[in-house]
Amino acid sequence: MHSMTNRTAVPETCSELHAPTVVVLLLLTLSILTAIALWPRGPFYILAVAPGLTQIELFDVLERAGGRFVADGPTRWTAFVYSDASDFAARARVSGAFFTLQSPILSICREPS
């Protein structure tokens, strides 16, 4: 018979072994889901310029990016906009937008005018 003298130490519970792995996988999953949720896709966006800029400056950014105004946002430096260009979010950022987010609610409720 063989003796079992070559055994390695086994943690008493599975949670001791997997806790760091579970935390890393959870953070990775949340990061991926957040990126998917926030990645602009679709024709309607919430466009924001840097806080403190005027609505005129927001319209300048929108014009340079090739979008169309749909409605005022909650502040003078935000607006709901429309663009059917697939690279609108990137063009808006290059044109000076602070951020662009997809606005799926407007996609459901409104058609571009």
Side-chain angles (χ1 to χ4, degrees):
M1 296 262 167
H2 293 213
S3 66
M4 300 183 128
T5 57
N6 292 341
R7 284 209 248 170
T8 58
V10 177
E12 290 183 25
T13 64
C14 288
S15 62
E16 291 176 15
L17 176 65
H18 300 293
T21 304
V22 169
V23 169
V24 168
L25 289 175
L26 179 63
L27 290 173
L28 180 63
T29 301
L30 288 174
S31 298
I32 291 170
L33 290 175
T34 300
I36 290 169
L38 294 179
W39 188 260
R41 59 194 183 282
F44 291 95
Y45 299 87
I46 299 168
L47 174 73
V49 293
L53 294 182
T54 65
Q55 196 171 36
I56 299 291
E57 291 166 309
L58 181 139
F59 280 108
D60 288 342
V61 169
L62 181 60
E63 183 178 345
R64 286 192 304 270
R68 294 185 350 210
F69 177 80
V70 174
D72 287 325
T75 67
R76 69 175 181 212
W77 44 272
T78 59
F80 295 97
V81 300
Y82 173 86
S83 176
D84 56 5
S86 62
D87 63 342
F88 174 74
R91 288 190 293 147
R93 283 189 286 276
V94 168
S95 298
F98 190 63
F99 68 84
T100 55
L101 295 174
Q102 181 191 15
S103 180
I105 293 175
L106 282 177
S107 297
I108 295 168
C109 298
R110 296 186 70 138
E111 290 295 320
S113 54

